[in-house]
Amino acid sequence: MHLLSALLFLLLLLRRVAALETVIGLYGETVAIPCNYGAKKAEDINMIKWKFDKGDGQPGDLLVKQKDQNVSLLTTDNYQGRVSMAANFTLLLSEAKLADSRTFTCMLVTMTDIQEFPVNVLINKLPAGVEISDKAKELEFGKLTKLGTCVARDANPAANITWLRNNKPLVADGKGISIRNSVAVDAVTGLSTTSSTLEYSAEKVDSVAQFACRADHPLGNGLVSSPVTFTITYSTENISLQVVPQNPVDGDDLTLKCVADGNPAPTSFNFDLKGNVVKVENKDFYTISNISRNSSGVYKCSLIDDPSMEASRNVTVNYLDINLNPSGKIVKRAGEALDITLQIDSSAKSKVHWTKDNVKRDNEPKFTKLTYSDSGLYECEVTMENFKRKASFELVVEGAPIIKNLKETSEGGHQKILTCVAEGSPKPAVSWSINGTLLNETSFSNNKIEHKIAVVPSANLTVSCTVSNEFGIDTKVINVSSHTAEDGSQTQLVVGVVVGLLIAAVVIALVYWLYMKKSKQGSWKTGEKENGSSEEEKKLEENSQKAEV
């Protein structure tokens, strides 16, 4: 009988206890724990009381409120001063701690019923931060090395850590990637700190890789540490010899540079200079000054601590020598011959370009009989690959002057222009056999000079131009007519034409008079014959009409 009553009471209690709700609060913040979510109206409630589960199966009272009365504090433990009740009966729990993760129950008493609303409270906390500590100074290529430890501190629940390489997750494979995780709980706060240690076998490409770690938590993901980079060390596997310049020429400084792919790179080498070995420390190059064509040959470099690691290079020293004969300033007489010889000694095929007075020539100059126009500055440029050589000579052709042209021109009026053009070297002096006004003397260029004078002759003249220098003299003459003679001839011509025209007019008048006189005599005889001939004309007309029909 007593057992049956106890069972009935238990069933009644289970019916009155509402379904268990869960509220998640943030560590250190105020947590709002609702009561009945409005299932009961405030005016129907006579009393409300909040209590909590102590964890030993016994409830602990927190707050109680009678109808139309203020809230009364019942607790005397660590909830004192941290709990209060809102107007809608919600329990407000400030400064939430991990110990507050338990069940809180709201009990409502009405005139007809007693009902309880339990709420499960969980207190969570994001990690205080995530960082990589105990980082390696460098990573060795191909060797499993501790990279560092990622730590996510003071979280609840404990955070999960993922390692990232260039923002992509790393997964332990038991070979090149090893990850060990651990969680430590603070004895005072109950907060968890997650640690993850990464051991990594680096590749050479990891020298530019960025490593980081990410903390994942129920309150949110994406908390990522600052990225870190590492120097990847590896031994030398390849070595090469560089030559600067690549195409050395006679007289250059030749630098041999030994390049090894190790990291850190070797700093000491042996340089084999065509059998002569030179040891170089704390640098990777060796310079040979002022090399010659005899410096051509095979050069080598190797590691001091591993001579078998060696590189070699066949070096050819290019050279280009030219000899121009004659050179400098050359003075020759007009009409003479001049032989030009250009000798070229080079390590490869070369090209020759000639100029005269900076104007390009199509071929090499040859002088079998020198003229004044051959004078000038001749320059040859010989090129081979990336370098060139130059040589030059200045040719001066001297001799007695020669008058090339002597002419007369008129420019209106009575003035005559006389022009004398001559060649010669040194510059010839010009003189005339008559006095005139000097109009122009061109500058002495290409051994040529032009001299102009103006004259007004009063009669026909024979004028001479004379040019001379230290080597000789030349003279030419020209006939110059005067304007007076030309005017007399023109007057005679005009008079002749006028006289001719007058004679022609007289002849025409005489012929006309004779014609008119003869015409009058013939008209008298014709009048006497007109009457006799009219009848014959009528007959002839009738006969012609019949013939037409």
Side-chain angles (χ1 to χ4, degrees):
M1 188 67 179
H2 293 287
L3 180 59
L4 182 59
S5 299
L7 289 174
L8 291 174
F9 176 76
L10 181 59
L11 289 174
L12 179 62
L13 182 61
L14 290 176
R15 182 181 67 82
R16 291 181 177 180
V17 175
L20 189 64
E21 301 289 343
T22 299
V23 171
I24 297 177
L26 297 180
Y27 184 87
E29 303 292 332
T30 297
V31 182
I33 307 171
C35 176
N36 81 38
Y37 293 98
K40 295 290 185 179
K41 296 180 180 181
E43 58 269 21
D44 296 335
I45 300 174
N46 293 326
M47 185 190 73
I48 180 171
K49 182 169 72 171
W50 275 99
K51 53 187 178 178
F52 68 97
D53 183 2
K54 290 184 176 182
D56 55 1
Q58 298 295 322
D61 294 332
L62 293 174
L63 300 170
V64 64
K65 182 180 184 307
Q66 301 288 343
K67 189 174 183 177
D68 300 327
Q69 293 183 12
N70 293 327
V71 177
S72 299
L73 181 65
L74 302 177
T75 182
T76 57
D77 55 14
N78 59 3
Y79 283 110
Q80 189 172 5
R82 293 201 299 128
V83 292
S84 61
M85 187 185 301
N88 61 354
F89 310 135
T90 296
L91 177 64
L92 301 177
L93 177 59
S94 63
E95 299 177 8
K97 304 176 182 179
L98 293 189
D100 296 330
S101 296
R102 59 181 70 197
T103 300
F104 291 82
T105 302
C106 171
M107 185 179 72
L108 299 178
V109 179
T110 64
M111 294 295 294
T112 60
D113 197 4
I114 296 175
Q115 194 170 10
E116 292 185 346
F117 297 91
V119 179
N120 185 36
V121 174
L122 298 177
I123 304 301
N124 286 354
K125 182 180 182 299
L126 279 170
V130 57
E131 62 179 357
I132 298 176
S133 62
D134 196 18
K135 293 179 290 187
K137 293 182 179 180
E138 57 190 28
L139 300 178
E140 185 175 350
F141 168 69
K143 181 180 179 181
L144 198 64
T145 305
K146 179 182 176 181
L147 185 146
T149 298
C150 181
V151 180
R153 302 182 183 279
D154 299 334
N156 188 61
N160 293 321
I161 291 178
T162 301
W163 281 94
L164 305 173
R165 178 187 178 276
N166 292 335
N167 295 322
K168 294 183 179 180
L170 291 173
V171 180
D173 57 9
K175 298 178 181 179
I177 301 175
S178 175
I179 300 175
R180 300 191 310 272
N181 297 323
S182 62
V183 178
V185 179
D186 187 277
V188 177
T189 63
L191 297 175
S192 299
T193 296
T194 303
S195 299
S196 180
T197 300
L198 171 64
E199 292 182 334
Y200 185 75
S201 179
E203 301 289 338
K204 291 182 180 179
V205 294
D206 289 323
S207 60
V208 293
Q210 291 187 334
F211 293 86
C213 59
R214 184 185 68 221
D216 299 323
H217 192 269
L219 291 179
N221 299 328
L223 192 59
V224 181
S225 69
S226 299
V228 293
T229 58
F230 297 90
T231 298
I232 312 301
T233 62
Y234 45 88
S235 59
T236 299
E237 296 178 354
N238 298 288
I239 189 173
S240 63
L241 179 61
Q242 297 178 353
V243 177
V244 181
Q246 293 185 0
N247 296 307
V249 300
D250 200 356
D252 279 348
D253 291 342
L254 182 68
T255 298
L256 306 175
K257 182 177 177 63
C258 206
V259 180
D261 64 355
N263 190 29
T267 57
S268 299
F269 299 90
N270 285 325
F271 286 91
D272 188 334
L273 314 178
K274 298 174 60 178
N276 181 26
V277 178
V278 177
K279 183 179 180 180
V280 175
E281 295 182 335
N282 299 322
K283 60 181 181 180
D284 59 358
F285 65 91
Y286 183 81
T287 300
I288 308 172
S289 300
N290 194 25
I291 60 173
S292 66
R293 64 197 66 186
N294 297 327
S295 302
S296 297
V298 177
Y299 293 80
K300 302 176 183 179
C301 74
S302 61
L303 301 180
I304 290 180
D305 55 358
D306 185 6
S308 64
M309 191 70 67
E310 182 183 72
S312 63
R313 186 81 174 267
N314 187 21
V315 177
T316 299
V317 179
N318 296 304
Y319 58 90
L320 176 61
D321 295 332
I322 65 173
N323 182 25
L324 178 62
N325 186 39
S327 61
K329 186 174 183 179
I330 306 165
V331 180
K332 301 289 288 184
R333 292 292 297 272
E336 293 182 346
L338 176 63
D339 293 330
I340 303 298
T341 303
L342 176 64
Q343 295 179 337
I344 302 174
D345 185 15
S346 62
S347 58
K349 186 177 180 180
S350 61
K351 294 182 179 180
V352 181
H353 304 279
W354 282 92
T355 61
K356 178 192 176 186
D357 296 329
N358 295 322
V359 178
K360 184 179 179 182
R361 291 177 53 92
D362 295 330
N363 48 32
E364 179 179 333
K366 294 183 179 180
F367 309 105
T368 57
K369 186 177 181 180
L370 289 171
T371 64
Y372 294 117
S373 62
D374 292 327
S375 296
L377 177 63
Y378 294 82
E379 185 176 59
C380 68
E381 180 180 87
V382 183
T383 59
M384 186 190 75
E385 296 179 353
N386 295 326
F387 58 99
K388 58 188 176 183
R389 297 286 187 266
K390 289 184 178 182
S392 64
F393 66 89
E394 182 184 1
L395 176 60
V396 178
V397 179
E398 294 184 338
I402 300 173
I403 295 177
K404 305 296 291 185
N405 188 20
L406 179 59
K407 63 181 180 178
E408 169 201 343
T409 58
S410 298
E411 294 188 355
H414 302 288
Q415 183 174 266
K416 301 288 186 176
I417 306 300
L418 304 182
T419 303
C420 186
V421 179
E423 284 184 340
S425 180
K427 177 182 177 181
V430 182
S431 61
W432 297 85
S433 60
I434 63 171
N435 293 326
T437 302
L438 178 63
L439 297 180
N440 180 43
E441 179 180 301
T442 60
S443 61
F444 186 61
S445 176
N446 294 324
N447 295 328
K448 182 180 290 187
I449 188 172
E450 182 178 285
H451 202 275
K452 289 184 180 182
I453 63 172
V455 297
V456 182
S458 58
N460 293 339
L461 299 174
T462 298
V463 179
S464 65
C465 175
T466 302
V467 292
S468 63
N469 62 12
E470 61 187 80
F471 294 104
I473 188 171
D474 189 23
T475 301
K476 278 190 177 183
V477 298
I478 187 172
N479 293 323
V480 180
S481 60
S482 68
H483 277 281
T484 303
E486 290 179 356
D487 293 345
S489 298
Q490 291 177 358
T491 302
Q492 291 175 1
L493 178 61
V494 171
V495 170
V497 171
V498 172
V499 171
L501 290 174
L502 290 174
I503 294 172
V506 170
V507 171
I508 292 171
L510 180 60
V511 171
Y512 180 75
W513 179 79
L514 291 175
Y515 171 77
M516 291 301 294
K517 182 178 181 181
K518 188 176 181 179
S519 296
K520 289 180 179 181
Q521 291 176 355
S523 63
W524 295 335
K525 294 180 179 180
T526 302
E528 293 177 354
K529 295 180 179 180
E530 282 179 354
N531 294 329
S533 63
S534 59
E535 292 181 358
E536 293 179 357
E537 289 177 355
K538 290 180 180 180
K539 290 180 179 181
L540 289 174
E541 184 178 356
E542 290 177 357
N543 290 333
S544 64
Q545 291 177 353
K546 291 178 179 180
E548 290 176 357
V549 173

